């Protein structure tokens, strides 16, 4: 650190400018070799000279930028002549080379006037974007027109609707504010949206086990139903389908813990060992079943629905359920105490558990943190029992048998954790 601080800032800036300019020049040189029909404006040395010119013109007159601006105009004119000639002779309209040349020239100003981390971040982003043209083109070909609407929906609910909501409790019987209700919607939507993007664009042809992991991040219940239905196609052995279902439920423990950590960090830090144990045992059980099974026929991919996870009506329903569970939980706790919460958590496990859990994690109820954790564990036991019922309803008899065996281990451990919490 002492050695770094002893190096003059001008020397560091000069080295970074040289490295940035030469790197982009090398990238352009590689593009010219790979695409002989594509004309580029100079390569290694030209781009390095651009950066050095910007550095030299900026160095003696940092308070007066007119020499630097004149140099920018001159470079821009040369780039414009090159661009027009390329259009006339070859019909090439791409602006990448022009923009890279201008970015190289302005980098000395950026590194002089901005924090170092900002300059390095832009450095990295430009290098990556210049290098991954082909993957970006392939990604663009896969993106449908509805994806931008989906992104706009997420931005709307997260950065427009949420900040505008009041953060005051609705009433003594409903001890949550509109802001906290919608915050829960935003967090769940973010997790679901991230899982959706991974599944659709990063792993569009995911293996069965990876489909269980990614699907479990989105919804272990939905994933259980999909895998149970797919088991009738018999592309894989029953043990493999059962293992993927158990793995999806293992992701439920991970997902619930992430939500707990976001909304109730103290309780999350106090209970991490229980969630880790349940997660590891579930993953191990699912993986053991998966590896035990042998694929019968077909390919190594599992087709999953790529439905939009950010439908507005889904968000409204989630907010309504959150509000309902808030009122019901407040009533049960007020009237029946811990026993009422235990009974309610068992019943809620057979519905959508996320609104109830988020309300529980955020709510200000007159119950101990231990009872909150017990209710959380209880609701996941009930939810796993419901998945066993769905597996019996939608899958083959053989898949159901192995699924029930896997869930038997997971549910037994979950119940043991609940009993341990009661004893503490």
């Amino acid at each position: 650190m002492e050695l770094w601080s002893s190096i003059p800032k001008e020397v560091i800036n000069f080295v970074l400018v040289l490295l940035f300019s030469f790197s982009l020049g090398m990238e352009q040189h590689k593009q010219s070799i790979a695409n002989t029909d594509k004309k580029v404006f100079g390569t290694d040395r030209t781009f390095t000279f651009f950066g050095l010119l910007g550095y030299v013109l900026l160095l003696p007159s940092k308070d007066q930028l007119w020499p630097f601006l004149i140099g920018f105009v001159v470079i821009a004119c040369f780039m414009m002549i090159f661009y027009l000639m390329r259009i006339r002779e070859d019909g090439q309209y791409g602006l990448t080379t022009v923009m890279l040349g201008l970015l190289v020239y302005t980098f000395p100003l950026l590194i002089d006037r901005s924090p170092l981390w900002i300059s390095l971040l832009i450095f990295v982003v430009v290098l990556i974007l210049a290098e991954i043209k082909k993957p970006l083109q392939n990604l663009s070909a896969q993106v449908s027109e509805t994806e931008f609407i989906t992104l706009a929906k997420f931005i709307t609910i997260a950065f427009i609707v949420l900040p505008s909501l009041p953060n005051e409790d609705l009433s003594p019987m409903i001890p949550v504010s509109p802001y906290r209700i919608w915050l829960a919607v935003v967090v769940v939507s973010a997790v679901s949206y991230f899982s959706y993007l991974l599944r659709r664009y990063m792993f569009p042809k995911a293996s069965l086990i990876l489909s269980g992991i990614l699907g479990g991040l989105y919804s272990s219940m939905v994933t259980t139903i999909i895998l149970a239905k797919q088991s009738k196609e018999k592309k894989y052995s029953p043990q493999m389908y059962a293992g993927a279902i158990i793995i999806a439920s293992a992701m439920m423990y991970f997902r619930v813990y992430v939500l707990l950590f976001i909304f109730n960090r103290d309780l999350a830090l106090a209970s991490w060992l229980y969630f880790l144990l349940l997660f590891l045992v579930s993953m191990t059980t699912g993986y053991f079943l998966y590896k035990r099974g042998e694929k019968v026929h077909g390919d190594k991919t599992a087709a999953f629905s790529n439905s939009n996870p950010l439908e507005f009506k889904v968000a409204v329903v989630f907010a309504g359920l959150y509000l309902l569970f808030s009122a019901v939980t407040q009533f049960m706790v007020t009237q029946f105490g811990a026993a009422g919460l235990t009974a309610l958590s068992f019943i809620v496990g057979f519905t959508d558990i996320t609104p109830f859990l988020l309300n529980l994690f955020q709510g200000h109820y007159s119950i101990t943190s231990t009872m909150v954790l017990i209710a959380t564990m209880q609701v996941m036991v009930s939810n796993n029992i419901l998945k066993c019922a769905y597996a019996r309803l939608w899958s083959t008899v053989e898949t159901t048998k192995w699924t029930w065996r896997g869930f038997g281990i997971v549910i037994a451990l979950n119940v043991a954790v609940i009993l341990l919490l009661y004893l503490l």
Side-chain angles (χ1 to χ4, degrees):
M1 291 299 295
E2 294 180 358
L3 178 61
W4 176 264
S5 60
S6 65
I7 301 176
K9 180 182 178 182
E10 289 77 9
V11 175
I12 297 175
N13 290 354
F14 175 80
V15 172
L16 290 176
V17 168
L18 195 65
L19 179 62
F20 180 71
S21 307
F22 186 73
S23 299
L24 285 181
M26 289 285 289
E27 195 279 333
Q28 286 294 288
H29 190 188
K30 188 182 71 173
Q31 292 291 337
S32 65
I33 295 175
N35 304 287
T36 54
D37 59 330
K38 179 182 177 181
K39 293 183 178 180
V40 296
F41 189 88
T43 53
D44 316 55
R45 294 185 303 167
T46 305
F47 275 72
T48 304
F49 288 148
F50 280 179
L52 291 177
L53 179 62
Y55 184 83
V56 169
L57 293 178
L58 185 66
L59 192 59
S61 55
K62 292 184 179 181
D63 296 331
Q64 298 180 357
L65 292 179
W66 61 266
F68 182 84
L69 294 176
I70 291 175
F72 181 83
V73 172
V74 171
I75 295 295
C77 289
F78 277 116
M79 301 298 289
M80 181 60 67
I81 293 172
F82 161 75
Y83 182 64
L84 294 175
M85 292 293 293
R86 191 175 64 175
I87 292 176
R88 189 179 69 175
E89 294 180 3
D90 303 319
Q92 298 179 4
Y93 290 86
L95 278 170
T96 301
T97 300
V98 175
M99 295 305 299
L100 288 177
L102 297 179
L103 282 170
V104 167
Y105 178 80
T106 56
F107 189 72
L109 179 63
L110 172 69
I111 200 170
D112 182 69
R113 303 298 175 92
S114 303
L116 180 60
W117 69 270
I118 287 287
S119 304
L120 294 177
L121 178 61
I122 294 176
F123 186 169
V124 171
V125 170
V126 172
L127 286 177
I128 292 175
L129 290 177
E131 185 64 27
I132 61 171
K133 178 180 179 180
K134 191 65 177 178
L136 283 178
Q137 289 177 339
N138 295 336
L139 178 62
S140 299
Q142 299 175 27
V143 176
S144 65
E145 62 276 6
T146 59
E147 291 304 320
F148 297 102
I149 298 176
T150 302
L151 178 60
K153 288 179 180 178
F154 181 74
I155 293 174
T156 299
I157 67 173
F159 301 105
I160 298 177
V161 176
L162 181 62
S164 64
L165 295 175
N167 196 15
E168 298 178 357
D169 290 351
L170 294 174
S171 71
M173 287 301 298
I174 308 178
V176 290
S177 66
Y179 178 86
R180 282 191 287 156
I181 294 174
W182 203 253
L183 177 62
V185 173
V186 169
V187 171
V188 173
S189 297
V191 174
S192 301
Y193 189 41
F194 177 70
S195 173
Y196 163 78
L197 292 176
L198 283 177
R199 192 171 64 248
R200 180 158 187 176
Y201 295 108
M202 297 298 293
F203 307 101
K205 295 183 178 180
S207 65
L208 189 64
I209 192 170
L210 188 57
S211 296
I213 294 173
L214 296 178
L217 276 177
Y218 172 63
S219 171
S220 58
M221 186 66 69
V222 172
T223 304
T224 297
I225 295 174
I226 292 175
L227 291 175
K229 290 181 177 180
Q230 286 184 357
S231 68
K232 294 182 178 180
E233 301 173 4
K234 298 183 178 180
K235 288 185 177 181
Y236 301 87
S237 67
Q239 294 97 323
M240 295 178 73
Y241 283 110
I245 290 173
I246 302 301
I247 287 173
S249 290
M251 298 309 297
M252 174 189 68
Y253 292 107
F254 174 78
R255 187 169 182 259
V256 169
Y257 184 77
V258 169
L259 297 177
L260 177 62
F261 187 83
I262 292 174
F263 291 103
N264 195 332
R265 186 166 299 182
D266 292 337
L267 182 56
L269 293 176
S271 61
W272 67 269
L273 186 58
Y274 302 115
F275 281 94
L276 180 62
L277 179 62
L278 287 165
F279 172 75
L280 291 179
V281 170
S282 301
M283 285 293 289
T284 303
T285 302
Y287 186 74
F288 174 78
L289 288 174
Y290 185 88
K291 296 301 291 185
R292 181 170 178 171
E294 293 181 357
K295 188 175 63 172
V296 178
H297 60 82
D299 57 24
K300 295 183 178 180
T301 63
F304 264 68
S305 171
N306 284 324
S307 59
N308 183 350
L310 290 178
E311 290 290 347
F312 184 71
K313 61 182 179 181
V314 175
V316 173
V317 170
F318 184 92
L321 288 174
Y322 186 98
L323 190 62
L324 173 64
F325 282 126
S326 176
V328 173
T329 303
Q330 178 69 9
F331 174 79
M332 295 295 287
V333 171
T334 303
Q335 298 297 320
F336 306 102
L341 180 62
T342 301
L344 179 63
S345 62
F346 180 81
I347 297 172
V348 169
F350 296 97
T351 64
D352 186 358
I353 67 173
T354 305
F356 171 76
L357 289 177
L358 288 182
N359 172 69
L360 196 63
F361 296 160
Q362 291 190 89
H364 302 286
Y365 305 109
S366 56
I367 52 176
T368 64
S369 59
T370 301
M371 282 308 304
V372 171
L373 188 56
I374 290 174
T376 302
M377 294 295 172
Q378 176 61 64
V379 83
M380 290 188 290
V381 168
S382 302
N383 198 249
N384 283 335
I385 294 174
L386 181 61
K387 290 170 196 168
C388 289
Y390 280 143
R392 180 65 187 90
L393 179 64
W394 297 107
S395 67
T396 64
V397 175
E398 192 68 14
T399 302
T400 300
K401 181 182 71 173
W402 289 105
T403 302
W404 283 15
R405 289 180 180 179
F407 271 124
I409 297 173
V410 175
I411 292 174
L413 178 61
N414 208 329
V415 172
V417 170
I418 294 174
L419 294 177
L420 178 62
L421 289 172
Y422 271 115
L423 295 175
L424 293 178

